Amino acid sequence: MAGSNKLNITPPRWLLAELSYKCPLQCPYCSNPLDYAKYPNELSTEDWKRVLSQARKMGAVQLGFSGGEPLTRQDLTELVGYARELGYYSNLITSGYGLSEEKIVELKQAGLDHIQISIQASTQELNDHIAGTATYQHKQDVAKLIKKHGYPMVLCVVIHRENIHQMPQILEMAENLGADYLELANTQYYGWAHLNRDALLPTREQFEEAEKIAQAYKEKVAGKMKIYYVVPDYYEDRPKACMNGWGTTFLTIAPDGTALPCHSARELPGLDCPNVKDFSIAEIWNESKTFNFFRGTGWMQEPCRSCDEKLKDFGGCRCQAFLFNGDMYSTDPVCSKSPERHRIDTAINSARELALSDREKPLVFRNSKNSKQF
Amino acid sequence: MTITPDQLIQFSPLHRLQWEEAQQKYVILYPEGMVELNQSSAEILKLCDGSRMLAQIVAELEEKFATSGLTNDITNFLNVALQNGWIKQA
Ligand code: SF4
Ligand code: SF4
């Protein structure tokens, strides 16, 4: 293993329970693995309950039910109720598809704390195009019902080149729907988003313009609606402190029970991610090779190893280092100190060329037919 | 936004105040976040249950900790809490 540093293991605080890869939507930026169709097995209700109670005992308190679409699980209400008993603060991360008023009430009674609903764009035409499904009107209705039943409502809009020009309308839509939180998540280029990057990555000018609008709006709605703005790291010169440090805070459990330090970690070679069917959460978190792999700083190469910022960003994202450099130990290429930074610039330029040309590159939508090709 | 002395103070229905055994402290939970509280902040917030106004909270805490002169500290903290949306009035 690369960086075992067992002296300093902090307990997990956030648990992301990816209940199912099934999803009626087909977002071309989906962060699920390209080959998700290879993992059709899902944990049983009993397995999930065991995971929830073991992680809670270690100190996990924020819980996200996600997927895919978590509403495809028939036992969702039961799991929500169980999580509430254990004292989790739970969040349903949903596309809103299949969420009826009855279900909203049922989940509230079971103890769900908040709902994060995604909307793809501020217009029906674009929303339905990106989602690959006609969902716009339903999402608007669901957003209102979430508020009606007293949940804090988090509206999540993933930003990319097809919708970035709608920033002013997206902000207005969120305010009109009464969102308590608006998450403007610039696309992170992993999974399907990586595959579609040339068509999705905004140009620097587009990004800067949109950011200005969002920041100004932030002040306008201060005290009413909180705006979380997730920056697109390609346009930064320092990488993100990915997952707040490997194996320090976040634990993701994939639908088949694979435990992951971040939701893309499955794509890294030789990690042998453990499964909750074989090990307890404590064993996985404290002792598995996977979770110790990039703990601490012992695994780092130059320029990170002797960099005085290494405790700030932990050398950036391991998946991004692997995707660009083919070397998961290397410095995240977003960093201006990385000798591979030019690879990010090449990606930016390639997307820019496509954006400024009149060529079209069709989006590859996230569905099982496409997934089976990987 | 500051505390109005003659209005009841209640904890925000959009947040949750909870004791965390693993951390041995009170925390405030809200969408995408968590704030860890020190003991005095937690003692103040526990009294924000919609049945008390500022002066009552001060009086109760001064009695509980057998001290006086807490008005300023408590008011300052509650103003911060109000701005963060942890508590609300009417
Ligand atoms: S990003 Fe879209 S396709 Fe992927 S799980 Fe979420 S709603 Fe489904
Ligand atoms: S060299 Fe490594 S540690 Fe230093 S700023 Fe860049 S990514 Fe962070």
Side-chain angles (χ1 to χ4, degrees):
Chain A
M1 87 184 58
S4 169
N5 185 0
K6 289 204 179 161
L7 298 173
N8 202 1
I9 299 182
T10 51
R13 289 280 178 256
W14 295 67
L15 173 62
L16 186 67
E18 295 184 332
L19 296 182
S20 172
Y21 280 141
K22 292 198 197 87
C23 186
L25 272 62
Q26 313 183 38
C27 308
Y29 51 72
C30 183
S31 62
N32 288 158
L34 290 169
D35 60 357
Y36 74 86
K38 268 190 211 140
Y39 311 103
N41 291 340
E42 291 185 6
L43 290 181
S44 68
T45 309
E46 290 317 307
D47 288 332
W48 277 117
K49 286 188 173 172
R50 191 180 65 247
V51 167
L52 293 177
S53 61
Q54 289 176 347
R56 177 73 185 128
K57 215 162 167 196
M58 291 181 73
V61 59
Q62 283 275 0
L63 169 64
F65 287 111
S66 114
E69 175 51 69
L71 286 164
T72 59
R73 285 281 297 215
Q74 298 308 309
D75 55 358
L76 180 63
T77 306
E78 186 178 348
L79 293 175
V80 164
Y82 191 73
R84 183 67 192 89
E85 262 171 51
L86 294 171
Y88 278 106
Y89 187 76
S90 57
N91 173 16
L92 178 68
I93 301 165
T94 177
S95 69
Y97 197 95
L99 194 52
S100 62
E101 181 159 18
E102 207 185 335
K103 192 83 186 176
I104 290 175
V105 172
E106 182 186 296
L107 289 167
K108 179 95 193 174
Q109 281 163 356
L112 183 65
D113 290 288
H114 69 115
I115 299 182
Q116 175 182 320
I117 177 172
S118 63
I119 296 191
Q120 278 66 11
S122 65
T123 56
Q124 169 148 20
E125 193 187 356
L126 189 55
N127 177 88
D128 295 355
H129 167 64
I130 295 169
T133 324
T135 49
Y136 180 78
Q137 196 47 52
H138 181 60
K139 281 168 182 277
Q140 301 275 320
D141 297 343
V142 167
K144 287 176 198 144
L145 289 170
I146 291 172
K147 283 303 290 177
K148 178 178 160 196
H149 291 284
Y151 287 99
M153 195 239 296
V154 184
L155 194 70
C156 175
V157 185
V158 176
I159 305 294
H160 44 76
R161 206 161 76 225
E162 301 244 324
N163 67 2
I164 195 164
H165 63 283
Q166 293 188 339
M167 186 58 83
Q169 292 80 31
I170 289 170
L171 289 156
E172 263 169 46
M173 171 181 74
E175 197 186 351
N176 291 338
L177 287 172
D180 298 290
Y181 300 81
L182 171 64
E183 186 169 321
L184 293 168
N186 277 284
T187 302
Q188 306 289 311
Y189 293 93
Y190 304 94
W192 296 81
H194 187 255
L195 185 72
N196 287 305
R197 187 177 60 202
D198 274 347
L200 292 177
L201 182 66
T203 64
R204 181 181 288 273
E205 295 84 338
Q206 287 175 318
F207 159 63
E208 283 173 354
E209 170 74 15
E211 186 177 30
K212 234 193 302 155
I213 297 170
Q215 296 299 351
Y217 214 84
K218 218 179 202 174
E219 280 157 39
K220 181 184 161 222
V221 294
K224 235 172 92 191
M225 176 169 87
K226 272 199 190 124
I227 300 182
Y228 293 126
Y229 192 83
V230 182
V231 299
D233 58 354
Y234 286 20
Y235 290 115
E236 303 284 312
D237 57 9
R238 286 292 178 272
K240 51 187 180 285
C242 194
M243 307 317 284
N244 194 37
W246 184 275
T248 64
T249 315
F250 291 94
L251 169 63
T252 295
I253 308 294
D256 64 350
T258 305
L260 305 166
C262 87
H263 57 247
S264 310
R266 202 168 208 158
E267 291 165 40
L268 297 174
L271 239 56
D272 303 331
C273 297
N275 194 295
V276 298
K277 287 191 203 153
D278 307 319
F279 303 98
S280 72
I281 298 296
E283 287 169 323
I284 288 172
W285 186 262
N286 295 322
E287 284 157 43
S288 73
K289 168 179 155 188
T290 311
F291 279 78
N292 281 297
F293 221 94
F294 297 112
R295 270 198 178 121
T297 55
W299 55 271
M300 285 181 179
Q301 301 177 347
E302 294 298 352
C304 294
R305 182 179 299 166
S306 49
C307 178
D308 58 8
E309 293 176 62
K310 67 182 172 191
L311 294 180
K312 222 162 101 190
D313 60 34
F314 318 106
C317 168
R318 297 303 88 222
C319 302
Q320 192 141 276
F322 177 67
L323 275 174
F324 275 85
N325 309 335
D327 177 359
M328 62 181 179
Y329 299 93
S330 63
T331 298
D332 186 328
V334 157
C335 184
S336 62
K337 297 185 189 180
S338 161
E340 308 299 336
R341 168 69 213 193
H342 62 92
R343 294 179 193 255
I344 297 277
D345 297 323
T346 305
I348 291 176
N349 290 336
S350 154
R352 182 185 176 80
E353 262 171 44
L354 184 68
L356 300 182
S357 76
D358 40 21
R359 273 183 303 134
E360 279 215 36
K361 192 168 171 182
L363 291 167
V364 182
F365 286 92
R366 178 243 194 241
N367 55 42
S368 12
K369 186 165 151 264
N370 286 334
S371 177
K372 282 181 186 136
Q373 295 167 23
F374 294 97
Chain B
M1 243 199 306
T2 49
I3 291 287
T4 314
D6 57 359
Q7 269 181 17
L8 297 169
I9 303 173
Q10 98 178 81
F11 197 76
S12 154
L14 300 184
H15 294 69
R16 200 157 101 202
L17 177 66
Q18 168 170 311
W19 171 254
E20 275 302 287
E21 193 59 36
Q23 301 179 59
Q24 289 293 305
K25 55 176 75 132
Y26 278 91
V27 297
I28 296 177
L29 296 160
Y30 55 95
E32 326 260 324
M34 167 162 62
V35 181
E36 299 177 3
L37 296 171
N38 61 28
Q39 200 200 336
S40 52
S41 311
E43 293 294 341
I44 300 171
L45 288 175
K46 278 195 281 178
L47 297 182
C48 300
D49 61 359
S51 73
R52 297 175 181 84
M53 292 184 248
L54 178 61
Q56 291 161 299
I57 292 177
V58 172
E60 274 190 47
L61 289 173
E62 287 182 346
E63 192 187 320
K64 181 163 179 186
F65 296 102
T67 181
S68 61
L70 294 182
T71 306
N72 276 346
D73 286 350
I74 294 178
T75 311
N76 289 341
F77 173 74
L78 286 175
N79 282 334
V80 173
L82 188 68
Q83 276 145 26
N84 286 329
W86 301 339
I87 54 173
K88 61 178 215 174
Q89 292 194 293

